[in-house]
Amino acid sequence: RKEVEQDPGPFNVPEGATVAFNCTYSNSASQSFFWYRQDCRKEPKLLMSVYSSGNEDGRFTAQLNRASQYISLLIRDSKLSDSATYLCVVNIPGYALNFGKGTSLLVTP
Amino acid sequence: NAGVTQTPKFQVLKTGQSMTLQCAQDMNHEYMSWYRQDPGMGLRLIHYSVGAGITDQGEVPNGYNVSRSTTEDFPLRLLSAAPSQTSVYFCASRPLAGRPRGGEQYFGPGTRLTVT
């Protein structure tokens, strides 16, 4: 079983829509959680860290459910520029980070 | 700060050739790592290091060597290139202090490697 699993999508949504991605992780000892964004043929970049109490950054909201071992990302009022692949990231024992395969989002006019 | 730099950006090798992918960071991060990214496979960890002189294997280490003689540099060596090593390689670094198990990870721009 892959340690970090995501629905690959693609999610096609119109501008202005709200879209949510989920991610599950298998290692209950994981302590760090992130969402990264990757544009086509570019390097991944941090979108936001995920904290136990949930956190928000503008149109983006991240939630963590430790009991069920899943992480979510909600994007409100989608923009064309939000089109990208969103990577769920969890630390594995030690300091290495384990990346999900990513969820592809396409926002259309 | 230049952040994480990688050279070369593109490389074509013949089967059996060896080469070194260079990676450097100027943020004084303790942790550095190498990933490969293939279509449908996501990012897979090759090797990582938590400090100078300390390296360890990730998920897919076979065919690759690393060393960490300084905090700044973490080269990846392909010993005898094979077509299966055709991929995009990303180097990354992160601080170990901060949040549980360290802070944000920064990536270099990647090296696109083709082995014929």
Side-chain angles (χ1 to χ4, degrees):
Chain A
R1 180 186 165 191
K2 187 82 168 111
E3 293 205 30
V4 181
E5 297 202 43
Q6 296 181 249
D7 180 346
F11 285 63
N12 292 335
V13 302
E15 266 186 297
T18 295
V19 61
F21 308 136
N22 288 330
C23 160
T24 58
Y25 61 95
S26 60
N27 192 327
S28 59
S30 298
Q31 294 177 284
S32 292
F33 309 91
F34 307 90
W35 283 101
Y36 275 69
R37 171 194 168 126
Q38 186 173 26
D39 294 300
C40 187
R41 299 180 68 79
K42 298 283 193 179
E43 72 271 26
K45 292 185 178 177
L46 180 71
L47 177 66
M48 58 196 301
S49 300
V50 185
Y51 298 102
S52 297
S53 55
N55 48 299
E56 192 173 299
D57 183 0
R59 298 181 293 109
F60 299 84
T61 300
Q63 298 277 354
L64 169 63
N65 185 319
R66 284 187 186 271
S68 301
Q69 294 181 208
Y70 81 77
I71 306 155
S72 65
L73 176 68
L74 182 78
I75 306 175
R76 289 181 299 279
D77 189 23
S78 298
K79 311 290 184 194
L80 296 177
S81 56
D82 293 334
S83 298
T85 297
Y86 291 83
L87 306 172
C88 176
V89 185
V90 177
N91 81 288
I92 54 180
Y95 292 96
L97 296 180
N98 205 358
F99 284 73
K101 292 182 182 180
T103 298
S104 176
L105 172 66
L106 179 63
V107 181
T108 55
Chain B
N1 280 357
V4 181
T5 58
Q6 289 184 238
T7 55
K9 285 189 167 49
F10 300 93
Q11 183 70 49
V12 179
L13 291 178
K14 293 189 188 312
T15 297
Q17 286 184 316
S18 63
M19 78 158 295
T20 299
L21 307 186
Q22 301 292 344
C23 174
Q25 53 96 5
D26 60 359
M27 297 173 282
N28 203 32
H29 288 166
E30 302 93 335
Y31 180 89
M32 296 186 74
S33 55
W34 277 100
Y35 294 84
R36 60 178 288 173
Q37 188 172 38
D38 304 291
M41 300 296 292
L43 283 158
R44 291 184 291 170
L45 184 64
I46 304 172
H47 285 285
Y48 65 96
S49 167
V50 296
I54 306 168
T55 64
D56 206 347
Q57 296 181 352
E59 183 184 354
V60 287
N62 292 342
Y64 308 94
N65 272 359
V66 291
S67 60
R68 184 101 178 267
S69 56
T70 67
T71 299
E72 295 77 20
D73 300 298
F74 191 45
L76 177 73
R77 280 181 286 279
L78 280 69
L79 309 172
S80 176
S84 61
Q85 294 178 304
T86 293
S87 188
V88 180
Y89 291 85
F90 289 104
C91 179
S93 74
R94 64 193 292 244
L96 294 186
R99 297 203 59 211
R101 315 312 279 173
E104 174 184 353
Q105 181 154 285
Y106 296 82
F107 284 83
T111 294
R112 283 157 180 77
L113 176 68
T114 301
V115 183
T116 61

